Amino acid sequence: MMSDITMAYNTYGTLNADHSNAVLVCHALTGDQHAASRQPLTGKDGWWSVMIGPGKVLDTDKYFVVCSNILGGCMGTVGPKDINPETGEAYGLDFPIITIADMVRTQALLQDYLEIPSWFSVVGGSMGGMQVLQWASAYPERCFSAIPIATAAKHSAQNIAFHEVGRQAVMADPEWHGGKYLEQGKNPRAGLAVARMAAHVTYLSESALHRKFGRNLQDRDDLTYGFDAEFQVESYLRYQGINFVDRFDANSYLYVTRAMDYFDLASDHGGSLPAAFEGTPTRFCVVSFSSDWLFPTTESKDVVRALIAAAANVSFVEIETDKGHDAFLLDTPEMLQTIGGFLAATAKSRGLTQ
Amino acid sequence: MIKNTTLTRPQDIRVDLQLIAEMVEPGSRVLDVGCADGTLLSHLISTKDVDGRGIELSQAGVNSCVAKGLSIVQGDADTDLTDYPNKGFDYAILSQTLQATHRPKLVMEQLLRVGKKAVVSFPNFAFWRCRWYLAVNGRMPMTSSLDYAWHETPNIHFCTLRDFTVLCDELGIKLEKSIIVGSDGRVLDYDINSRRANFFAAQCVFLLSDK
């Protein structure tokens, strides 16, 4: 049990008088609260700038958009790199194991703190989508609508397997020091970079990789027959890995991937996914992508099927794209149209006018 | 070209839309299977205050429905009706879609599993203009609104009024109401089992239930 917890969050737009226009954006595994503002460590635009802003789908002239760093994250909300008041040292592996439900519980505390009786919508992709489903299941009266994107009601065996590869890469790095690298002034950079590289492949698709890189060579005209980054795709992955370690804590990566692995909404409801949504008043808009093999359409359809069985108000669309799982982060026009249309219609029934 | 009739899914379904709406009790729970851009569902919600849901195959159709505030699931009438619980709806509607399904018989069975009643509308392929077109031109009839050639039409299972009533009989489905419409859009007052009906009906709308 942890008593006092610190949470970091950003808001965009203005909360209206009756506090009915607030949207919670849930970030994915390696995201953070900087959804639509510059990330201070990388200097890059917010990870969902394509979605959030004036005149955009999550229109900040109309909605009050809230995005908090998840429990166990490393961008301001308490996580394993923070100081354990009992020991005066970083928590490291003494940080309690967390679940998606724990993350959502802390977001509910934030909702109380902001005096928002119910979110107009809870939106997120991937692990963010898991939080959306957990929100709708645990607090149906506190979210008017829910938009789970490229996600699933449980983490698949294949996805757990990929996460385990990543965790083992971190833990195999001698600089990890059993999780106590901060005390040693070290950082398992190599291990975390490999974890990121492996994970990054799962966010793309074969056709997206082919379109972007093919078998093109990196800064050379001919093969050199060595272990340098000969191919552009290798160079790209190394770049992704190296940049990631500058902004992400290795232990946090272990905890958050673990939280995803534990997620299984049906098993929390006696093995029945429809039971997780029974009698829900929430309106759902479920979105998947045709080339996403990490959270394939079949997983979204399982959610949709359960919602149908629970007689929920649900819309579902599979977007045709070759961009893979990452499509939810990118400028994918059909996704923006679908979600924009859903939000506009939902705003009308919520009585939101602008 | 055949004028003033619809053999394929038409853009303008005002006539059968109105007839379907007349068959639906106000305030009921409705599933529109193959709801296209949601015209019928919107109409039923605004005029009959129904709790409406829809299934649509095309992404464009789903997007346009979702933007109208309709609850639409992207899916296929042939395969995805099995997701719906038994008799979860007062009406399962199949408007101008039967002829585009791969397994019409199965779809009919599913409609009356998920709906307490079913409403089905379709173009009658035995309509005299179709017969005339085929007899005179020796070519597959085409419509004025959607001029699909035989090799590219999504309408792979055209049937006649007679074919449909025979299938209903075979499946133990009761015809609660049968309405046929002639080429001028007017309701024809013929015995549904008569040759005349099968000859003059351009469109058919049925209210169906289990026997």
Side-chain angles (χ1 to χ4, degrees):
Chain A
M1 278 292 275
M2 299 181 70
S3 46
D4 287 334
I5 59 159
T6 309
M7 282 185 82
Y9 66 97
N10 274 339
T11 69
Y12 311 94
T14 313
L15 190 61
N16 63 6
D18 54 359
H19 292 199
S20 62
N21 69 335
V23 173
L24 177 69
V25 167
C26 302
H27 71 72
L29 172 60
T30 64
D32 53 40
Q33 68 274 30
H34 304 290
S37 44
R38 205 177 57 84
Q39 216 277 3
L41 297 179
T42 63
K44 287 183 180 166
D45 284 345
W47 57 270
W48 230 8
S49 296
V50 68
M51 186 76 116
I52 306 164
K56 295 185 181 172
V57 168
L58 287 172
D59 189 346
T60 47
D61 291 336
K62 196 173 173 184
Y63 307 121
F64 177 63
V65 178
V66 179
C67 183
S68 64
N69 189 208
I70 49 161
L71 181 66
C74 53
M75 284 300 293
T77 296
V78 66
K81 80 174 167 57
D82 294 304
I83 301 297
N84 181 351
E86 286 175 20
T87 63
E89 291 184 340
Y91 282 103
L93 295 193
D94 290 335
F95 196 78
I97 289 287
I98 49 167
T99 63
I100 299 291
D102 293 329
M103 295 174 190
V104 168
R105 260 191 289 276
T106 59
Q107 290 160 353
L109 293 173
L110 178 63
Q111 189 184 26
D112 292 337
Y113 174 76
L114 296 171
E115 297 177 351
I116 293 162
S118 88
W119 302 109
F120 164 60
S121 197
V122 182
V123 192
S126 196
M127 188 185 81
M130 289 178 167
Q131 293 162 63
V132 174
L133 294 174
Q134 178 65 32
W135 255 105
S137 176
Y139 305 102
E141 306 294 338
R142 293 173 65 166
C143 44
F144 189 72
S145 66
I147 309 180
I149 308 165
T151 193
K154 62 172 189 314
H155 215 216
S156 68
Q158 178 173 264
N159 290 1
I160 294 170
F162 275 114
H163 274 177
E164 179 60 2
V165 169
R167 284 190 294 264
Q168 289 300 329
V170 169
M171 294 191 277
D173 187 329
E175 304 253 300
W176 183 61
H177 288 287
K180 291 189 176 295
Y181 50 88
L182 290 173
E183 285 80 3
Q184 310 272 342
K186 307 278 191 194
N187 191 3
R189 298 172 62 88
L192 185 58
V194 170
R196 175 63 169 175
M197 289 167 75
H200 201 81
V201 176
T202 68
Y203 305 151
L204 305 172
S205 70
E206 155 64 13
S207 58
L209 280 172
H210 181 78
R211 176 165 47 77
K212 265 177 144 166
F213 309 110
R215 288 181 54 85
N216 297 341
L217 301 182
Q218 179 69 27
D219 301 332
R220 63 200 69 193
D221 297 326
D222 295 301
L223 292 170
T224 59
Y225 296 98
F227 294 104
D228 282 349
E230 293 251 275
F231 297 98
Q232 281 179 9
V233 64
E234 294 173 300
S235 170
Y236 169 78
L237 280 182
R238 289 182 187 191
Y239 173 85
Q240 291 294 333
I242 289 162
N243 274 283
F244 182 61
V245 300
D246 290 334
R247 67 174 178 92
F248 215 88
D249 175 57
N251 282 338
S252 189
Y253 193 82
L254 302 184
Y255 275 88
V256 180
T257 54
R258 207 65 183 138
M260 287 180 80
D261 293 351
Y262 285 128
F263 188 61
D264 184 350
L265 204 47
S267 89
D268 295 343
H269 293 83
S272 161
L273 193 54
F277 302 110
E278 213 179 311
T280 180
T282 305
R283 295 147 187 263
F284 291 82
C285 181
V286 181
V287 179
S288 71
F289 301 100
S290 57
S291 54
D292 184 350
W293 57 278
L294 194 63
F295 290 93
T297 291
T298 51
E299 302 268 7
S300 283
K301 284 201 120 176
D302 286 345
V303 172
V304 171
R305 216 167 278 135
L307 288 167
I308 287 170
N313 225 314
V314 55
S315 288
F316 162 68
V317 65
E318 178 193 43
I319 309 285
E320 283 292 331
T321 173
D322 78 341
K323 293 172 187 164
H325 182 60
D326 259 358
F328 82 94
L329 296 168
L330 305 172
D331 184 6
T332 308
E334 295 82 359
M335 171 186 76
L336 299 177
Q337 276 165 24
T338 302
I339 297 176
F342 175 77
L343 283 172
T346 308
K348 218 180 277 176
S349 50
R350 173 87 155 181
L352 291 180
T353 46
Q354 182 74 23
Chain B
M1 284 302 198
I2 300 172
K3 299 277 187 235
N4 301 324
T5 186
T6 43
L7 299 176
T8 51
R9 190 180 184 98
Q11 297 303 307
D12 180 12
I13 55 167
R14 307 313 301 189
V15 173
D16 84 318
L17 181 151
Q18 279 165 22
L19 292 172
I20 289 170
E22 282 165 23
M23 289 180 174
V24 171
E25 290 291 326
S28 53
R29 239 175 98 73
V30 170
L31 178 68
D32 186 3
V33 182
C35 59
D37 65 357
T39 304
L40 175 61
L41 261 187
S42 300
H43 181 74
L44 288 172
I45 289 167
S46 62
T47 63
K48 294 276 180 157
D49 193 32
V50 302
D51 179 3
R53 308 293 158 88
I55 302 178
E56 169 57 28
L57 192 54
S58 78
Q59 188 183 301
V62 175
N63 271 350
S64 121
C65 288
V66 169
K68 287 177 184 158
L70 301 171
S71 292
I72 304 301
V73 167
Q74 189 173 24
D76 191 333
D78 277 300
T79 52
D80 294 334
L81 280 171
T82 51
D83 295 345
Y84 290 79
N86 291 343
K87 307 290 184 197
F89 293 90
D90 296 309
Y91 301 93
I93 298 176
L94 192 72
S95 158
Q96 305 290 326
T97 300
L98 185 65
Q99 73 280 358
T101 62
H102 282 90
R103 291 176 293 176
K105 188 174 169 182
L106 190 80
V107 171
M108 289 294 296
E109 287 171 331
Q110 286 293 323
L111 281 180
L112 275 162
R113 185 188 61 76
V114 304
K116 290 171 191 153
K117 292 185 178 174
V119 181
V120 179
S121 75
F122 60 92
N124 173 26
F125 205 71
F127 177 50
W128 68 268
R129 283 182 191 268
C130 293
R131 301 188 194 206
W132 176 258
Y133 192 104
L134 184 59
V136 170
N137 299 322
R139 307 275 313 264
M140 287 299 282
M142 281 165 64
T143 73
S144 52
S145 54
L146 291 178
D147 50 351
Y148 288 117
W150 64 272
H151 49 82
E152 60 184 13
T153 178
N155 300 308
I156 51 175
H157 277 129
F158 276 122
C159 70
T160 70
L161 169 55
R162 186 77 193 122
D163 287 329
F164 186 79
T165 55
V166 167
L167 177 67
C168 286
D169 196 44
E170 198 181 305
L171 292 174
I173 293 172
K174 185 176 155 197
L175 313 181
E176 295 217 344
K177 274 186 199 161
S178 316
I179 298 177
I180 54 172
V181 178
S183 57
D184 57 358
R186 275 191 305 182
V187 172
L188 303 175
D189 188 21
Y190 301 152
D191 173 7
I192 200 69
N193 291 312
S194 67
R195 285 172 178 270
R196 221 159 49 131
N198 200 28
F199 193 78
F200 287 107
Q203 291 286 331
C204 317
V205 186
F206 289 95
L207 178 66
L208 308 167
S209 66
D210 294 324
K211 253 179 192 161

